[in-house]
Amino acid sequence: MGRQVKLGRRSELAVDQPLVKQILGRRIMVVLIDNKPYALEGDCCHMRAPLATGKIDGATITCPWHGWRYNLRTGACLTNPGFKLKTWPVIVADGELLVEL
């Protein structure tokens, strides 16, 4: 079993505004889709661009550097299906966002 890490408060999340945290040497991005938080890697698989600065359209984010697109619920790369961002389930407890790493 992994370790639960606090990412922030649920109140910090807003539609189309990812919450980004640097945890254990990796950038983790939390997004809100249909009022549910999702946590995934915050760097594009292609050239490690910071995805949080990309354009969000529904459940898809587009990398700001080269246009790679990802499903924010699953981490699947829509541009190149051979790639996928790591994802983690998010738990909301007492208003806190927790992820198990």
Side-chain angles (χ1 to χ4, degrees):
M1 185 167 162
R3 172 179 145 201
Q4 280 192 346
V5 177
K6 178 180 159 185
L7 297 174
R9 304 238 359 116
R10 167 63 180 82
S11 60
E12 294 178 74
L13 277 180
V15 175
D16 297 340
Q17 295 179 354
L19 174 65
V20 181
K21 297 291 180 174
Q22 192 78 19
I23 299 174
L24 301 175
R26 66 173 21 142
R27 188 181 349 242
I28 296 177
M29 174 173 68
V30 184
V31 295
L32 190 62
I33 302 169
D34 296 329
N35 209 31
K36 182 177 178 192
Y38 293 85
L40 58 157
E41 281 181 274
D43 294 321
C44 180
C45 295
H46 177 227
M47 301 268 309
R48 309 313 297 165
L51 286 175
T53 60
K55 182 179 185 300
I56 294 176
D57 183 13
T60 302
I61 192 164
T62 302
C63 176
W65 288 5
H66 299 106
W68 280 34
R69 296 173 60 238
Y70 296 90
N71 180 307
L72 290 167
R73 289 185 180 104
T74 66
C77 182
L78 306 173
T79 306
N80 187 337
F83 292 88
K84 184 177 181 187
L85 298 171
K86 183 158 180 57
T87 61
W88 298 272
V90 179
I91 299 163
V92 180
D94 296 324
E96 300 288 345
L97 298 167
L98 305 170
V99 67
E100 190 170 303
L101 299 179

